[in-house]
Amino acid sequence: MEINNIVRLLRENGRVCLQEGAGRKIELIDPDQYDEGNDQSAIYLLTDLFQIRALAGQFSEIALDIVEYATKPTIYTSFASPLLSKGPVKDGKVKFGILKQGFWNKVVFSFSRPLLYKEVFEQEEAGTIKEKFPLFRPDVKRLFLSPEGDVKIGN
């Protein structure tokens, strides 16, 4: 499936279900269309460090350096910005990953804004992508970044 088709479906429907290269199903969601009730499992996908400011409240310079220089796929958790009115915020915290390169980066970049993703199991996919989704790799790190610069490693 081509990037422009994915972006078109996102703009038309607010979400699209895809099967990624390892066979898992992923749903990409426009944050403006996110209305999942109690399901707060979706994670923001970003392409740029500056997008963090829209999601996280106070964010230390140390935390920015950690995100900027990370070489492995990482899912970060931080306190949500009070300006974040809609989206998956659980216990005042928000999760995000930064896609620095590759096919999935191009999808988010082409949409021109952060996207949400979550793994789904029973939905019909709109298409198949040969590239594996980087945040499903077994070596994905999980870090909590506090406004004071504290870092906690998750499992």
Side-chain angles (χ1 to χ4, degrees):
M1 184 169 219
E2 299 286 325
I3 291 172
N4 58 354
N5 289 338
I6 295 170
V7 172
R8 180 184 52 78
L9 288 170
L10 278 164
R11 293 191 195 288
E12 288 174 3
N13 305 327
R15 54 185 64 219
V16 63
C17 182
L18 304 166
Q19 183 171 327
E20 54 89 52
R24 296 166 84 171
K25 290 183 185 180
I26 180 174
E27 185 173 35
L28 297 176
I29 307 165
D30 177 346
D32 291 339
Q33 304 298 317
Y34 187 77
D35 186 22
E36 305 300 300
N38 291 331
D39 179 11
Q40 301 298 310
S41 64
I43 298 172
Y44 280 93
L45 296 174
L46 312 176
T47 59
D48 193 290
L49 287 176
F50 297 109
Q51 294 173 321
I52 294 172
R53 298 274 185 216
L55 301 178
Q58 295 179 348
F59 209 76
S60 74
E61 291 300 317
I62 293 170
L64 279 175
D65 287 345
I66 289 170
V67 174
E68 182 176 6
Y69 295 112
T71 57
K72 295 191 179 190
T74 306
I75 296 174
Y76 302 96
T77 302
S78 187
F79 289 108
S81 168
L83 302 175
L84 189 60
S85 60
K86 200 170 190 177
V89 176
K90 184 175 181 180
D91 300 326
K93 298 174 186 154
V94 64
K95 292 182 181 181
F96 63 92
I98 296 188
L99 305 176
K100 296 181 180 180
Q101 60 189 8
F103 176 83
W104 297 100
N105 166 281
K106 291 175 185 172
V107 170
V108 179
F109 184 81
S110 295
F111 189 67
S112 303
R113 302 185 295 129
L115 283 172
L116 290 166
Y117 88 90
K118 68 179 185 175
E119 188 173 12
V120 292
F121 301 97
E122 312 235 345
Q123 289 180 299
E124 182 74 27
E125 68 269 5
T128 302
I129 308 301
K130 68 177 182 173
E131 288 81 7
K132 293 179 181 177
F133 188 67
L135 296 179
F136 285 161
R137 290 178 29 183
D139 63 342
V140 170
K141 305 294 181 212
R142 294 182 179 269
L143 297 176
F144 174 78
L145 305 172
S146 79
E148 296 82 28
D150 297 335
V151 178
K152 294 181 184 170
I153 299 171
N155 34 331

